[in-house]
Amino acid sequence: MQFIDLNAQYHALKEHIDANIARVLEHGHYIGGEEVKTLSEELARYCGTQYCLTCANGTDALTLALRCLGVGKGDAVFVPTFTFFASAETVALEGAQCIFVDVDERTFNLDAEKLDIAIRRVIEQGKYTPKCIVAVDLFGLPADYPAIRRVADRYGLPIIEDGAQGFGGSIGDKKACSFGDISTTSFFPAKPLGCYGDGGAIFTDRAEYYELMSSLAVHGKGTFKYDNVRIGYNSRLDTLQAAILLPKLDAFRRYELDARNRVAARYTQALQARYTTPLVPEGFGSSWAQYTLILDDTRQREDLQAKLREQGIPTMVYYPTPMHKQTAFGGYDFHTEDLRVAESLCGRVMSIPMHPYLSDEDADRIARALLA
Ligand SMILES: *Cc1c(COP(=O)(O)O)cnc(C)c1O
């Protein structure tokens, strides 16, 4: 049994994916081909934003968003401490100070009240200038954007939505990757919508942001590629990946997102009496990048992981270490007093296999192993 079965998906979509790859090899526009334009338009339509810019990966998408907002030295950027490293790494790379904020213990996402406290503290201390908020849609569930937006507006801060895991999630009738002033996603193969290599995208409603990020992504181009008006990057989604993503987006929209939700509902039904299962608040929808249980302690987690491994069932720990305890952020000595929820979660979370092609039989076998 695989944790995420990409091969099952390939075989379900093989005919379309193979045909699309063959078409790119025939027309030969490997960079910036028609498929890239079509995909960008379809992604913007799906997420409900004015603009979508595809790029090389989800990390670059964050970097381009931060550069677009002018984040740099002396700035404070507020980031949840329970996330994948790239959410914070990109901030540090721009020379800004990460201010790590704790998360809600049931949704795993940024705690808006603690965010407010953290912003106030930074203002009072006067050492850094609050610049923006990075909110992460962890495990496929959108962060609490209504609450985060209220805090952001109180201090006039823009929001970057790190939707690398969130693509397909929703709040009411609005889709993930539309909640930030700039939103980003990743097409890393294991994400809810993945390609066959690296890929990413950026979403916004603002024309000036879109123009600036389009320039930054192509060596700071001005009117054309050999007119360079700023220092930028080389960050593109290549045509082959776009050609692979088109039928995958179609399947995601038609049935994969529903299938993920069916697997999650089946797990929850079987496990909720015994375990703390993931909470999806009223009105929210998850794309289930991960299905993550909260266990009693690390000891129980180790026992369960060993037991499942014996039965050929893979499990993963996302994430064992919060950002403020990462070696790379070793010098971090800034307001760490209240990051207890994230620290506790790191010792207790365990993710179980989740993908749209997981059979009922396998889901039941996994649940039985956890209940035995
Ligand atoms: C995967 C991920 C990223 C980075 O995406 P890449 O495409 O691997 O660069 C950023 N943030 C979060 C939360 C992620 O899960």
Side-chain angles (χ1 to χ4, degrees):
M1 188 185 301
Q2 298 198 40
F3 190 72
I4 296 176
D5 195 342
L6 295 173
N7 203 252
Q9 185 198 40
Y10 172 59
H11 283 284
L13 306 176
K14 181 174 171 25
E15 198 186 323
H16 286 123
I17 291 174
D18 288 358
N20 274 15
I21 290 174
R23 191 172 317 119
V24 174
L25 296 178
E26 286 299 334
H27 71 51
H29 300 289
Y30 301 117
I31 300 291
E34 195 59 35
E35 288 81 357
V36 176
K37 183 163 171 284
T38 307
L39 178 71
S40 311
E41 289 165 2
E42 295 217 357
L43 288 168
R45 188 173 322 125
Y46 181 78
C47 295
T49 61
Q50 288 294 315
Y51 304 98
C52 169
L53 174 69
T54 56
C55 64
N57 55 65
T59 306
D60 277 9
L62 286 167
T63 290
L64 291 164
L66 291 162
R67 273 290 299 278
C68 178
L69 296 177
V71 170
K73 210 167 161 14
D75 292 333
V77 176
F78 301 85
V79 185
T81 192
F82 191 57
T83 183
F84 177 62
F85 191 59
S87 313
E89 176 186 36
T90 47
V91 171
L93 199 59
E94 295 310 310
Q97 178 68 40
C98 284
I99 306 296
F100 294 118
V101 182
D102 210 0
V103 296
D104 179 89
E105 66 181 341
R106 286 307 312 280
T107 64
F108 308 110
N109 281 332
L110 192 59
D111 181 322
E113 270 176 48
K114 290 181 180 173
L115 171 67
D116 191 308
I117 294 167
I119 297 170
R120 241 181 303 143
R121 267 206 217 109
V122 169
I123 293 171
E124 278 160 20
Q125 269 207 331
K127 191 169 169 199
Y128 299 105
T129 311
K131 188 74 174 181
C132 73
I133 297 159
V134 175
V136 180
D137 303 340
L138 207 69
F139 305 151
L141 178 71
D144 186 357
Y145 290 101
I148 293 167
R149 182 60 76 182
R150 278 194 293 278
V151 175
D153 287 350
R154 198 169 298 147
Y155 301 98
L157 299 178
I159 298 171
I160 295 175
E161 174 185 7
D162 178 354
Q165 301 180 18
F167 189 86
S170 57
I171 306 176
D173 57 7
K174 291 200 73 182
K175 280 284 184 193
C177 299
S178 74
F179 297 117
D181 295 87
I182 304 173
S183 302
T184 65
T185 198
S186 162
F187 303 125
F188 181 80
K191 308 285 178 175
L193 178 64
C195 59
Y196 290 156
D198 278 309
I202 311 168
F203 301 82
T204 186
D205 285 333
R206 293 177 65 157
E208 69 273 27
Y209 286 174
Y210 175 74
E211 298 300 334
L212 177 52
M213 290 188 288
S214 301
S215 164
L216 286 167
V218 185
H219 306 288
K221 74 175 159 111
T223 49
F224 68 111
K225 190 176 173 182
Y226 304 106
D227 168 34
N228 308 97
V229 298
R230 56 180 62 84
I231 302 300
Y233 308 85
N234 170 24
S235 188
R236 296 179 288 230
L237 182 77
D238 65 69
T239 311
L240 276 171
Q241 298 304 338
I244 289 159
L245 279 164
L246 281 166
K248 285 204 183 204
L249 174 61
D250 182 55
F252 186 86
R253 209 165 21 197
R254 279 191 297 111
Y255 66 89
E256 283 187 359
L257 181 59
D258 290 339
R260 286 175 172 278
N261 275 280
R262 268 201 308 280
V263 173
R266 202 168 179 94
Y267 277 151
T268 299
Q269 174 76 23
L271 299 171
Q272 64 187 351
R274 178 85 162 269
Y275 294 102
T276 304
T277 50
L279 177 76
V280 177
E282 187 66 36
F284 283 61
S286 178
S287 58
W288 300 105
Q290 303 295 340
Y291 187 95
T292 303
L293 298 168
I294 304 173
L295 305 173
D296 296 337
D297 50 35
T298 307
R299 173 75 193 278
Q300 186 194 21
R301 178 167 76 191
E302 284 169 358
D303 290 349
L304 281 172
Q305 286 198 285
K307 190 161 89 176
L308 268 64
R309 195 179 308 120
E310 272 173 27
Q311 300 182 39
I313 299 169
T315 59
M316 301 291 276
V317 175
Y318 298 120
Y319 293 92
T321 312
M323 291 304 108
H324 66 279
K325 293 217 160 154
Q326 288 287 0
T327 311
F329 287 112
Y332 192 77
D333 57 353
F334 209 79
H335 313 321
T336 58
E337 58 262 43
D338 194 22
L339 302 170
R340 274 175 276 120
V341 173
E343 286 181 9
S344 165
L345 287 173
C346 287
R348 297 192 292 142
V349 287
M350 183 180 83
S351 303
I352 57 179
M354 165 56 72
H355 61 83
Y357 301 87
L358 192 79
S359 66
D360 287 352
E361 295 69 43
D362 279 349
D364 292 347
R365 186 158 84 80
I366 293 161
R368 273 200 307 279
L370 284 162
L371 294 170

